[in-house]
Amino acid sequence: MTQTTTHEFQAETRRLLDIVIHSLYTERDIFVRELISNAADALEKFRHESLTAGEVFDAHLPLEISIDLDEEKHTMTITDTGIGMNRHELEANLGTIAHSGSSAFMEGLAEAAKKDVSLIGQFGVGFYAAFMAAGKVRVQSRSWDGSEGHEWVSDGAGSYTIAESAGLHRGTRIIMELKDDAHDYAKKWKVEGIVKQYSSFVPFPIKLAGDTINTVSALWTRSKGEITDQEYSDFYKFIGTAHDEPLYRLHFSADAPLAIKALLFVPKENFEIMGFGRVESGVNLYCQRILIDQHSESVLPEWLRFLKGVVDSEDMPLNISRQSLQDNALLAKIRKVITKRFLKFLDEQAQENPEAYLGFWKSFGIYLKEGLTSDYEFQKELGKLVRFESSRSEAGTPIALAAYVERMKEGQEAIYYINGSSRAAIEAGPYVESFTQKNIEILYTLEPIDDFVLSHLSEFDGKKLISADRADLDLSKSETVEEKEAASKKEGAQLEDGDKAVLISWLKATLGDKVAAVIESKRLVSSPAMIVNPDSYMTSSMERIMAASRREKGQEAAQSKKNLEINIASPLIQRLAALQKSDESFAAEVAAQIYDNAMIQAGLVVDPLTMVERNYRILGRAVGGS
Ligand code: ADP
Ligand code: MG
């Protein structure tokens, strides 16, 4: 005796169906994922029941998903041996929107549909997505409790029917009568491509026309000890569509405060610096082995986009839309836990095998620097991971800030750094002179971005990070008694105080607006002069980058005012003081040249034409002209 009843869809459901049927066209493939995800979910639920309940109906059935295609009848059928649904459940689950039924969700969906149809693909539309491809959908289902089976039928237009159906096995079978323009979904190649893309890690066999097609299992859910290197490597290649072997791999799970399983890989190559353009985030977010966000931009910070792998958290709701992932509080927590864990892992790797870590740093250090300048949250961890060359390191072998701190002199309060285009350029320049003299290590920041990085980091292990081109740099505290004595002895050749004051005020007057101040240097050893920055947040290297970007935008590249420090003990400066009295106009040429030279040593821009012409005039005098 079959009794057929007809039911109206709930109002929200009708609206959703309307959107799905009429606009979800471009992202059609997602319906397969949604249905497989539901089937896998039903299998997971059944597995749980069969473990906890004493008796289950049709216990002998293998847990699997079958997809059957009929090219002649234009049908696609997805069958699972999961938990199934009884009559009441069919009505409740397939007639209303349970989880996603909030009006905010509907608004968002409707808005997205209006703006850009492809946007709605980002909303998990669940079971109703079947109507994207099917004109008529039949759902035959029988619950694990063994109660009578039923068939649910609808064309998505406003109502559905439910009738008893005899002879069903446990689980759910969804038969879709494909629309005329969706007949491809009855073709094996088409469906196989989609299923492989979305559901390869579904932990149940997926059979397509009788063949199991999902060969890769949910590797990350297995315990580490059982997984071979080869399996890890295959998995990496599969999910990362990579051909190389991973450089690092981190597989971990946590139970509290969040249930997370993560398997992350660092590739061997950095394709971004190889010129392939910005890479897409390579970590997929799973919830109970069901993919909910491929290439997730939310599960890790943007600067970890080079990682490949999987994050699986049972705590995430399976039906969450990709759009709402971005500001999901739970996901923010997951992101933090995983990021910290990964950075800790890198630090461990650096301790265990410093050489391999340097290899990583050379390829991927740029991302960590990006993290330091864009993300305050992980500064402490990132500070441990950065590497720079220094006056004590070998060329090409950068060191950790911790190694610097370990070697710091007694009394030394800060970590010092100076930017330059190369080791040689830095070592020939004025900024390192006093460091060499006082035997203080100084970091060399060879990349333009480095000063931003250190300025953002601002301190490490309680020690301030200070650029050596800062105007207020004071190294006297870290001088030993002998060094203090040696320094005071050197002050033999000096100008009278009066002459000094005259020279300094004349220099300021002749250089005019080019400098904020002219100051007697306490730290230059042999160079006659150098440029320093009165603004403690700006180094010359940062200035250079910002000026360049202003020029690029067609804005005036105004330079902030610099101080010129002069070395009174330098013979050139002393003779300049005399020259200023005898031939002021030539002295002014020399002063301008000294300023330009100091600017060049600071890596800053000077006007090359003016400079070269002036330089020839000075040379003319030097070879005996007038
Ligand atoms: P969601 O999966 O986010 O809950 P869906 O629209 O995909 O939303 O599915 C609605 C509900 O229908 C599910 O929560 C589940 O209870 C039920 N359901 C869907 N497909 C199946 C299935 N294959 N077996 C058992 N129950 C199912
Ligand atoms: Mg679903």
Side-chain angles (χ1 to χ4, degrees):
M1 177 202 79
T2 39
Q3 185 203 357
T4 305
T5 53
T6 305
H7 308 254
E8 295 288 308
F9 282 115
Q10 179 199 29
E12 273 94 1
T13 311
R14 273 208 304 274
R15 201 165 151 208
L16 175 63
L17 278 167
D18 191 53
I19 294 170
V20 163
I21 291 166
H22 293 111
S23 39
L24 268 180
Y25 184 78
T26 49
E27 303 252 333
R28 239 184 196 182
D29 288 0
I30 66 161
F31 86 90
V32 182
R33 177 188 58 179
E34 294 290 345
L35 297 181
I36 286 182
S37 146
N38 284 348
D41 212 8
L43 286 161
E44 285 283 10
K45 285 183 198 159
F46 174 77
R47 183 149 66 183
H48 188 244
E49 288 298 346
S50 66
L51 291 174
T52 50
E55 225 179 289
V56 293
F57 172 64
D58 264 353
H60 65 283
L61 292 179
L63 298 186
E64 63 187 21
I65 300 167
S66 316
I67 306 173
D68 295 288
L69 309 171
D70 190 326
E71 277 198 69
E72 259 138 54
K73 292 197 181 116
H74 310 298
T75 60
M76 176 191 220
T77 303
I78 299 182
T79 310
D80 68 69
T81 50
I83 194 160
M85 285 175 273
N86 58 32
R87 183 183 199 116
H88 167 74
E89 286 163 337
L90 278 170
E91 253 181 71
N93 297 335
L94 309 185
T96 58
I97 303 172
H99 314 267
S100 45
S102 80
S103 55
F105 172 86
M106 289 304 300
E107 287 311 315
L109 187 63
E111 274 307 302
K114 259 188 257 160
K115 257 190 276 167
D116 177 359
V117 175
S118 68
L119 274 180
I120 4 187
Q122 304 200 354
F123 291 80
V125 284
F127 166 77
Y128 302 107
F131 290 98
M132 289 160 64
K136 192 178 212 177
V137 178
R138 299 173 180 280
V139 180
Q140 300 173 340
S141 196
R142 187 160 188 192
S143 169
W144 68 284
D145 62 16
S147 60
E148 211 40 67
H150 288 86
E151 186 178 51
W152 177 106
V153 184
S154 179
D155 58 5
S159 64
Y160 59 90
T161 59
I162 298 184
E164 241 178 62
S165 178
L168 299 180
H169 277 297
R170 184 198 69 232
T172 303
R173 166 169 295 157
I174 299 180
I175 305 152
M176 285 160 280
E177 294 178 12
L178 298 168
K179 295 180 189 171
D180 289 347
D181 59 0
H183 286 176
D184 270 0
Y185 291 106
K187 295 196 170 108
K188 192 178 175 191
W189 62 265
K190 172 84 177 171
V191 178
E192 184 162 5
I194 300 167
V195 176
K196 281 212 159 136
Q197 189 185 353
Y198 289 135
S199 311
S200 293
F201 305 116
V202 170
F204 302 98
I206 299 176
K207 288 184 171 160
L208 177 59
D211 306 326
T212 304
I213 55 166
N214 57 334
T215 45
V216 185
S217 67
L219 193 73
W220 63 92
T221 60
R222 287 162 52 193
S223 74
K224 279 199 240 181
E226 297 172 354
I227 306 170
T228 65
D229 285 348
Q230 186 61 46
E231 281 177 296
Y232 275 124
S233 166
D234 286 345
F235 180 72
Y236 162 73
K237 287 176 187 166
F238 184 84
I239 54 136
T241 48
H243 301 285
D244 57 350
E245 297 294 320
L247 191 63
Y248 285 138
R249 131 186 129 217
L250 170 62
H251 187 183
F252 77 95
S253 60
D255 293 320
L258 295 161
I260 299 172
K261 289 188 166 58
L263 176 51
L264 303 174
F265 298 94
V266 174
K268 197 151 274 161
E269 311 283 0
N270 176 352
F271 288 100
E272 215 166 276
I273 56 171
M274 286 166 71
F276 280 78
R278 197 176 171 81
V279 299
E280 193 180 19
S281 162
V283 174
N284 299 338
L285 176 64
Y286 282 78
C287 167
Q288 299 164 52
R289 291 163 216 132
I290 304 293
L291 179 63
I292 55 176
D293 193 16
Q294 196 166 30
H295 303 299
S296 176
E297 288 180 1
S298 319
V299 73
L300 286 173
E302 207 184 339
W303 48 271
L304 285 179
R305 61 187 175 276
F306 63 96
L307 289 179
K308 309 256 185 218
V310 166
V311 170
D312 191 327
S313 175
E314 287 170 26
D315 294 326
M316 287 299 294
L318 193 61
N319 69 327
I320 191 165
S321 73
R322 272 200 265 156
Q323 211 130 71
S324 60
L325 281 174
Q326 270 161 25
D327 41 41
N328 182 276
L330 187 67
L331 194 55
K333 275 189 206 143
I334 293 176
R335 179 164 57 232
K336 185 167 177 172
V337 169
I338 297 171
T339 303
K340 291 225 164 166
R341 184 65 186 80
F342 177 67
L343 296 180
K344 186 172 146 228
F345 165 81
L346 285 181
D347 194 37
E348 289 161 2
Q349 293 301 314
Q351 312 293 335
E352 265 169 43
N353 188 344
E355 219 168 288
Y357 181 75
L358 276 189
F360 164 82
W361 173 253
K362 278 175 189 159
S363 298
F364 297 96
I366 184 77
Y367 294 98
L368 303 191
K369 290 178 183 178
E370 186 183 322
L372 263 169
T373 54
S374 62
D375 208 338
Y376 185 78
E377 204 175 354
F378 306 103
Q379 293 216 318
K380 226 174 141 194
E381 290 79 5
L382 286 166
K384 293 186 193 162
L385 297 170
V386 292
R387 298 290 184 269
F388 296 101
E389 292 205 23
S390 89
S391 51
R392 302 253 174 97
S393 79
E394 307 220 350
T397 311
I399 57 150
L401 296 178
Y404 180 105
V405 169
E406 222 165 77
R407 293 197 281 255
M408 273 169 61
K409 279 177 77 174
E410 209 174 310
Q412 184 182 340
E413 286 174 331
I415 299 169
Y416 302 102
Y417 62 94
I418 187 68
N419 185 270
S421 54
S422 68
R423 264 186 98 85
I426 291 173
E427 287 174 350
Y431 299 97
V432 295
E433 286 182 355
S434 54
F435 289 87
T436 313
Q437 190 195 40
K438 294 182 190 4
N439 205 22
I440 299 172
E441 181 167 11
I442 178 165
L443 299 172
Y444 299 161
T445 57
L446 301 174
E447 299 296 331
I449 189 193
D450 288 349
D451 284 15
F452 288 96
V453 170
L454 292 178
S455 157
H456 273 266
L457 186 57
S458 100
E459 60 172 63
F460 176 79
D461 200 3
K463 317 281 186 298
K464 288 232 159 350
L465 285 153
I466 295 178
S467 171
D469 62 13
R470 251 171 76 163
D472 59 357
L473 185 79
D474 179 8
L475 297 178
S476 62
K477 285 213 181 102
S478 37
E479 276 179 337
T480 61
V481 182
E482 299 85 61
E483 282 161 1
K484 278 206 173 78
E485 273 172 14
S488 64
K489 260 187 218 141
K490 270 204 67 184
E491 287 168 23
Q494 277 294 349
L495 288 174
E496 298 286 327
D497 280 353
D499 291 347
K500 210 170 17 185
V502 169
L503 176 67
I504 287 174
S505 66
W506 171 78
L507 273 171
K508 173 68 186 98
T510 185
L511 292 173
D513 273 355
K514 287 180 172 172
V515 291
V518 178
I519 287 161
E520 175 186 359
S521 180
K522 294 198 180 67
R523 49 178 156 139
L524 282 172
V525 179
S526 52
S527 293
M530 70 176 172
I531 291 289
V532 292
N533 293 282
D535 176 357
S536 61
Y537 292 103
M538 184 66 76
T539 71
S540 294
S541 141
M542 287 157 75
E543 173 96 35
R544 185 170 62 234
I545 295 171
M546 286 161 77
S549 98
R550 279 195 298 264
R551 269 194 303 276
E552 238 165 58
K553 290 184 201 133
Q555 297 161 346
E556 203 188 328
Q559 197 134 255
S560 73
K561 288 280 175 56
K562 308 288 178 191
N563 287 357
L564 182 71
E565 276 196 14
I566 55 165
N567 179 4
I568 299 295
S570 146
L572 178 64
I573 296 298
Q574 297 200 353
R575 291 199 187 112
L576 180 64
L579 184 67
Q580 183 257 320
K581 287 174 192 158
S582 60
D583 183 348
E584 192 179 342
S585 71
F586 186 55
E589 295 255 71
V590 174
Q593 188 64 40
I594 289 172
Y595 168 83
D596 274 4
N597 289 356
M599 287 290 281
I600 291 168
Q601 284 182 311
L604 294 166
V605 183
V606 298
D607 176 3
L609 294 180
T610 319
M611 197 274 267
V612 168
E613 278 170 17
R614 181 197 317 112
N615 190 258
Y616 278 135
R617 287 196 298 276
I618 297 170
L619 290 174
R621 282 282 287 260
V623 297
S626 57

